[in-house]
Amino acid sequence: MKDLHLICNAHIDPVWLWDMEEGISAAISTFRMAAVFCEEYDGLVFNHNEALIYHWIEEMEPALFARIRKLVKEGKWHIMGGWYLQPDCNMPSGESFIRQMESGREYFLEKFGEAPSTAINFDPFGHSRGLVQLMAKAGYDSYLFCRPGQGNCPLPADDFIWVGFDGSRIAAHRADTYGTLMGEAGKTVEEWMDRQRSRPEGEQPAVGCVLWGVGNHGGGPSRADLEALRELKERTEDWNLVHSTPEAYFAARSEAAKKAGITEPVVEKDLNYWAVGCYTSQIRIKQKHRELEGELCVTEKMLSQAALRGLLIYPYEELKEAQEALMFCEFHDVLPGSSIQEVEEGGLRILDHGLEIVHRWKQRAFFALLSGEEKAQEGEYPILIYNPHPFPVEGIFQGEFQLANQNWTDSYALPVLSQNGEVLESQVEKESCNMNLDWRKRVTFRAVLQPACMNRFSARIQMVDKKPERAQVSGDDSFVFANDRIRVKINPQTGYLDSYCVDGTEYLREGAFRLAVMKTDCDPWGMNRCSYREEIGSFHLMDEKEGSRYSGTLNERHAGEGCLIPSVRIIEDGPVRRVIEAVFGYGNSQAYIRYYLPAKGTKVKTEVRVNWAEKGAFLKLELPTALIPAAALAETAYGVMEHECDGREKVFHRWCGLFDESAGKALTVINKGNYGVDFLEGTMRISLLHSAVYAAHPIGDRPLLVQDRFLPYIDQGERIFEFEMNAGDCRERREYITREAICFQEAPMAVPAFPSGEAEGKEAPEGVVCVDDPAVVLSALRRGKKENEFLLRLFESTGQERKACVSVPVLHAQCQVVMHPFEVKTLKLSADGKTLEECGIFGE
């Protein structure tokens, strides 16, 4: 007889169609009954993962937790998976996945002495290929999942070897489902056996696996199901039904394949696509998630650098609370936006809680790192910028400060910026407040920040007759801007970008950054579709009256107040950059786009602010490029995916781009908090908003909605998006794009500060950490489990073997590393700098 491994479990969503309190209640009652059945039925093994759920039990019902610990020791309860929870497996960063695994591993080892070797993600809607390397390095040899099915993700078999970007391999199994309905476990198992019997003899599996137990709101095993399975076991002659665990199934499968001389098929791709609407639904959750990911990483870097300088003690325990906020909101019904509105609001509150913790520690790190700076001289307004990155960062930076006294004269106080006595090109731009008084100053300047150290700039005030005026629009009826490398043309009739020429090569076709409105079926998952390409309209440039009303310069409620202004206008201009703003409308919605055009360099930043009031619509930002044909590449978790240019919705992280290898040219776009994109015929369309209804789930032929009252739709209101476009040599783009994306997400921290000068006379401190290869990025720098150890996470971002020198000048430590294509490598640094060496992914 062949063994059929029955894996009893209970899928428990902490939140989804219910709030957290109901989720806790469902978890407690499910675990309570599972413990009863494990104690009563010989041979039954209950499997459950997710450290968060166990922590709830430990906290809310400690007596039950003690029973579970006893059952685990007796082998009647199996710690499954071992992650913090089942996150979305497409959108979190590689470092977030490591946090999920590390946090769960620590908890289960501490409380149960268990470290599972099979990772479990039954319910997430797709799986990034970047997971493979991370799971393998975290001690996992196998992966059990359910979605997407064969119709959405064709695979050669449900049992296969999954290969990561770096060549890592783990055994994987796609199950039909993660559970059964109440009282139908026996029926489900019998149907599974019948399907296997109907297959040709050579194609029947030598070992099988069926997941059972009531799930989706808890439940687990029932007495009726246990009795039905007992009866089925007694009368089945060709399958031996065994209550089992995922690890036992994979071990038996491996042994059976070895005996039969079977080589399992190999899959070298991500496991997608299903529920493509989830890459965009509830964009506020996604943006705050990305923000907390970035802020947590940059704060850890700054705190580590301050601790290595001996300026503070790293707050290891305090940061755990912020990390748990991040991990909870990566749950596969929170981050994808498939939950009810109450869960969305709760998720935003939790993310804000994490951000507040991180921001306070970031402040402490900054002011600790400020020590040693000289006291400000008479008339000096210091602007201090800390660059946390292990390489020089060149770009445009800003500092806003208060004049020592209000200027009530007719003259204008013009800041002049310098560094080390050398005057820098700078310009004054509108400050955040709207005080009609010469008092607050926002100065914008271009500079190069030295790596991993404090960079100081000095502003001094020069009194001039009047504020510098902005440039006038060129006379060729277009907004044309050029520097020594780029030429940009903004169409005054449409407000969109008609040309982006870099080093003499055109990279765009007309109408770039168009806001295109697509049709959606109001399902936040997008379960029954693979794209959003049916256009129903687009934003148009407002006329002067409409645009002035939206901008607030025209107030028709009070006769004679306000004025008309052009709908495409220059709002900032100077020796550093020009900023052009255009205002648009569509239906009941409005938007502006600001184009930030640099006086030097090739990067064009855009800000899009949309006041969205459309229901049942999907908004995309369209970039038609001149790169046809070209390969579509996009960042994923510690990897880069090449996507088909087929118009299907794809998931990506901080950057996407089109790369024409034959011509050696590429165009890339970095974002802050977007995850959906499609590619077709040289055009990228980045997804901005998906105004579906909350948690509307297609069910057979039933209507999606039964509506007899007002229903709230997702993402109504004002939303802000930021992008950075760059173009040039194909190889250069591949080497630098991930580094640029990190800097865009983890921006250096600028503060107008007046140092105490207590450490004057000391030599300026060196950078804490440096990495000399642009393609080898320092994705994380944080304290290890021990107080005197710090972990440096490196990632090779181009898919080419590289050699890099990692140095810690402040401790006189250095290490040469060889990075294989897309390899993630962890180094352990002692606080005294005596050792800098490779270690396991968790620092072991």
Side-chain angles (χ1 to χ4, degrees), residues 164-340:
F165 289 109
D166 72 324
S168 297
R169 300 161 72 92
I170 60 171
H173 174 73
R174 175 168 61 186
D176 295 334
T177 182
Y178 50 70
T180 53
L181 297 176
M182 179 74 73
E184 293 193 4
K187 176 185 174 183
T188 299
V189 172
E190 192 157 20
E191 289 175 348
W192 183 92
M193 292 189 294
D194 288 340
R195 287 197 300 273
Q196 310 316 310
R197 292 170 185 139
S198 66
R199 298 169 64 179
E201 187 171 338
E203 296 180 12
Q204 294 181 14
V207 62
C209 170
V210 174
L211 309 177
W212 74 278
V214 179
N216 243 12
H217 200 25
S222 70
R223 196 173 302 279
D225 286 318
L226 286 163
E227 293 300 331
L229 290 172
R230 175 186 289 171
E231 185 272 332
L232 182 61
K233 176 180 175 64
E234 290 174 353
R235 64 179 170 84
T236 300
E237 297 181 354
D238 53 345
W239 285 94
N240 177 35
L241 275 57
V242 181
H243 289 297
S244 189
T245 68
E247 281 81 358
Y249 161 69
F250 278 103
R253 172 181 135 187
S254 175
E255 183 64 26
K258 188 183 299 183
K259 283 183 179 179
I262 296 173
T263 301
E264 293 185 326
V266 170
V267 173
E268 301 183 53
K269 64 175 185 177
D270 59 7
L271 306 179
N272 277 311
Y273 300 91
W274 185 78
V276 297
C278 285
Y279 309 153
T280 306
S281 296
Q282 295 184 18
I283 198 68
R284 288 186 301 168
I285 287 281
K286 292 170 170 60
Q287 289 180 324
K288 277 195 181 293
H289 165 259
R290 180 79 64 76
E291 183 182 0
L292 181 51
E293 273 189 332
E295 285 296 289
L296 182 54
C297 280
V298 75
T299 301
E300 288 172 335
K301 290 173 183 175
M302 291 176 64
L303 286 166
S304 297
Q305 291 169 25
L308 287 168
R309 289 191 189 279
L311 301 173
L312 51 67
I313 297 174
Y314 189 99
Y316 184 78
E317 293 297 329
E318 290 84 347
L319 288 182
K320 279 188 174 180
E321 192 170 347
Q323 178 173 279
E324 287 172 357
L326 175 68
M327 292 189 298
F328 179 85
C329 291
E330 288 170 341
F331 177 66
H332 62 260
D333 281 312
V334 177
L335 183 54
S338 50
S339 64
I340 58 175

Side-chain angles (χ1 to χ4, degrees), residues 35 39 57-70:
E39 291 164 346
I57 305 301
E58 181 184 15
E59 190 174 71
M60 307 295 179
E61 198 160 321
L64 175 59
F65 189 76
R67 286 171 65 193
I68 293 170
R69 293 184 70 175
K70 181 174 181 292

Side-chain angles (χ1 to χ4, degrees), residues 745-759:
Q745 186 69 45
E746 302 175 24
M749 185 175 182
V751 178
F754 291 85
S756 66
E758 292 176 359

Side-chain angles (χ1 to χ4, degrees), residues 664-676:
K665 302 188 183 304
L667 181 140
T668 57
V669 179
I670 301 170
N671 73 86
K672 279 189 180 178
N674 298 86
Y675 291 95

Side-chain angles (χ1 to χ4, degrees), residues 413-479:
L414 179 68
V416 177
L417 206 74
S418 65
Q419 184 181 32
N420 299 324
E422 181 181 348
V423 175
L424 303 177
E425 289 186 336
S426 63
Q427 64 191 61
V428 179
E429 296 185 352
K430 187 188 179 308
E431 61 281 0
S432 295
C433 70
N434 291 289
M435 296 284 290
N436 192 13
L437 179 66
D438 189 20
W439 192 16
R440 292 285 296 171
K441 296 293 175 181
R442 173 178 288 180
V443 59
T444 300
F445 56 97
R446 172 174 289 278
V448 178
L449 305 182
Q450 294 307 304
C453 69
M454 192 67 74
N455 293 258
R456 180 169 179 154
F457 303 88
S458 299
R460 292 183 176 276
I461 300 302
Q462 176 183 338
M463 301 305 295
V464 295
D465 292 339
K466 61 179 181 178
K467 185 177 181 179
E469 295 181 354
R470 294 193 295 269
Q472 299 299 310
V473 179
S474 58
D476 64 355
D477 210 29
S478 296
F479 286 76

Side-chain angles (χ1 to χ4, degrees), residues 57-196:
I57 305 301
E58 181 184 15
E59 190 174 71
M60 307 295 179
E61 198 160 321
L64 175 59
F65 189 76
R67 286 171 65 193
I68 293 170
R69 293 184 70 175
K70 181 174 181 292
L71 289 168
V72 170
K73 288 181 180 178
E74 293 172 351
K76 297 179 179 181
W77 187 299
H78 181 66
I79 301 299
M80 181 174 67
W83 292 26
Y84 183 75
L85 47 66
Q86 288 190 53
D88 175 87
C89 289
N90 275 318
M91 290 180 278
S93 68
E95 198 60 27
S96 285
F97 284 127
I98 293 173
R99 296 181 197 277
Q100 290 280 349
M101 290 184 277
E102 183 178 25
S103 179
R105 179 67 56 101
E106 286 182 2
Y107 180 83
F108 288 121
L109 278 173
E110 177 189 346
K111 303 297 181 178
F112 299 95
E114 296 290 322
S117 60
T118 298
I120 302 292
N121 281 306
F122 293 149
D123 203 24
F125 313 145
H127 310 263
S128 167
R129 188 181 176 191
L131 277 168
V132 182
Q133 176 181 189
L134 303 181
M135 290 190 292
K137 290 187 172 178
Y140 292 99
D141 57 21
S142 45
Y143 191 53
L144 184 55
F145 70 101
C146 293
R147 309 176 196 268
Q150 188 70 8
N152 302 101
C153 180
L155 297 173
D158 288 335
D159 291 329
F160 59 95
I161 302 300
W162 196 16
V163 180
F165 289 109
D166 72 324
S168 297
R169 300 161 72 92
I170 60 171
H173 174 73
R174 175 168 61 186
D176 295 334
T177 182
Y178 50 70
T180 53
L181 297 176
M182 179 74 73
E184 293 193 4
K187 176 185 174 183
T188 299
V189 172
E190 192 157 20
E191 289 175 348
W192 183 92
M193 292 189 294
D194 288 340
R195 287 197 300 273
Q196 310 316 310

